[in-house]
Amino acid sequence: MASSADHPRVARRAAPRPGPVPWVAMYHSVGDCSCDPYRITVIPERLDQQLAWLRRRGLRGVSVAELLAARASGEARGLVGLTFDDGYADFLDHALPVLRRRNCNATLFVLPGRLGGDNAWDVLGPRKPLLTADGIRRAAAEGVEIGSHGLTHVDLTRADDLTLKAETVESRAALAELTGTPIEGFCYPYGTVDRRAVDAVRDAGYTYACAIDPRPLSGLHALPRVHIGQNDTAVRLLLKYRLHRLRRRPVEGLR
């Protein structure tokens, strides 16, 4: 007698269906945005207004790791992800107090190869200081999830094999040693991603990875995010929240 494995239709029905795309917000710096050519900065008051908007809608911002764990256990109702890229020093003084005031948490993606340096990759400036090793430890001690943004903020889609391995494997090892905890998340610098980069990140042992718009890629190592900036008031936030699931495909491997 033929088994169910002999029937492709049965096997296809048994395969898990992709889950709805999670809503993950992407922030960078929190501070003075008077000179902000890349639109990566929000002032603390704007961040507070945006998190207050979430709370009024019955939503709470959490780290990506917490969001994915909640999704896996069917307890993610009312949760959204908050991420802060690059590891700017202003996170401790300006972002963290707002997160605590609004009972939210976040994932902070940092660059262990630029500890205490600045955002030299942003050619137009302005120069913004990055967290030191002690600063990253302080954020981790406050319960913030620490993830890797690579070693030095390199476009992985243009990196040679040695650089790709260093940016993924070595950055994870460095942050695990620095924080004393396993590093589960990765964030692709510039949001650029291709299959080779995804494979490298997965092979390095990360549980998940965040991009911006990773189409046509999908999965836990190519999670899309929503850019949130200084101009995102309540109306714009509502549009971004509603349009995200309409514009993004369901995520493979996610419930």
Side-chain angles (χ1 to χ4, degrees):
M1 178 181 294
S3 67
S4 60
D6 297 323
H7 297 280
R9 291 182 180 177
V10 174
R12 282 197 296 271
R13 280 199 299 269
R17 299 178 62 183
V21 62
W23 199 81
V24 180
M26 176 181 67
Y27 288 94
H28 288 79
S29 174
V30 180
D32 179 16
C33 63
S34 58
C35 180
D36 188 30
Y38 296 101
R39 295 187 299 169
I40 62 169
T41 310
V42 299
I43 62 173
E45 293 80 7
R46 180 66 80 204
L47 175 62
D48 186 65
Q49 292 167 2
Q50 292 165 344
L51 298 186
W53 178 86
L54 289 176
R55 298 317 306 260
R56 287 196 301 272
R57 296 188 63 82
L59 302 171
R60 183 169 68 89
V62 297
S63 70
V64 179
E66 182 177 346
L67 176 62
L68 295 179
R71 288 282 293 263
S73 61
E75 300 175 347
R77 184 177 180 84
L79 300 182
V80 297
L82 300 178
T83 62
F84 291 79
D85 291 8
D86 302 335
Y88 291 102
D90 58 31
F91 178 85
L92 289 176
D93 294 332
H94 297 156
L96 188 56
V98 177
L99 290 168
R100 291 294 169 262
R101 183 160 59 249
R102 295 300 177 182
N103 192 29
C104 292
N105 203 359
T107 299
L108 179 64
F109 292 114
V110 301
L111 299 155
R114 292 186 182 271
L115 297 176
D118 61 31
N119 56 328
W121 60 88
D122 285 336
V123 179
L124 299 179
R127 297 277 74 85
K128 288 176 173 282
L130 304 178
L131 288 166
T132 62
D134 285 343
I136 292 173
R137 292 191 192 98
R138 282 180 56 195
E142 289 285 343
V144 174
E145 181 193 11
I146 303 299
S148 172
H149 203 26
L151 273 178
T152 58
H153 207 282
V154 170
D155 183 345
L156 299 189
T157 65
R158 300 183 178 182
D160 59 39
D161 290 345
L162 287 177
T163 301
L164 185 59
K165 184 174 182 179
E167 293 289 327
T168 54
V169 176
E170 293 181 19
S171 67
R172 184 169 189 250
L175 288 174
E177 182 177 359
L178 191 157
T179 63
T181 59
I183 303 301
E184 303 297 335
F186 188 88
C187 175
Y188 300 98
Y190 304 104
T192 56
V193 59
D194 58 14
R195 174 54 61 188
R196 177 169 165 266
V198 167
D199 290 344
V201 168
R202 181 187 295 110
D203 292 345
Y206 296 94
T207 303
Y208 72 86
C210 292
I212 299 175
D213 183 1
R215 289 178 292 185
L217 299 172
S218 177
L220 287 172
H221 293 86
L223 294 173
R225 292 182 296 168
V226 180
H227 168 74
I228 304 297
Q230 177 66 15
N231 294 329
D232 287 318
T233 55
V235 173
R236 288 171 58 96
L237 283 173
L238 180 60
L239 288 173
K240 287 187 174 184
Y241 184 76
R242 289 183 172 176
L243 289 175
H244 181 64
R245 287 194 173 186
L246 295 176
R247 297 173 59 188
R248 305 297 191 212
R249 295 188 308 162
V251 176
E252 297 175 8
L254 185 64
R255 296 182 183 180

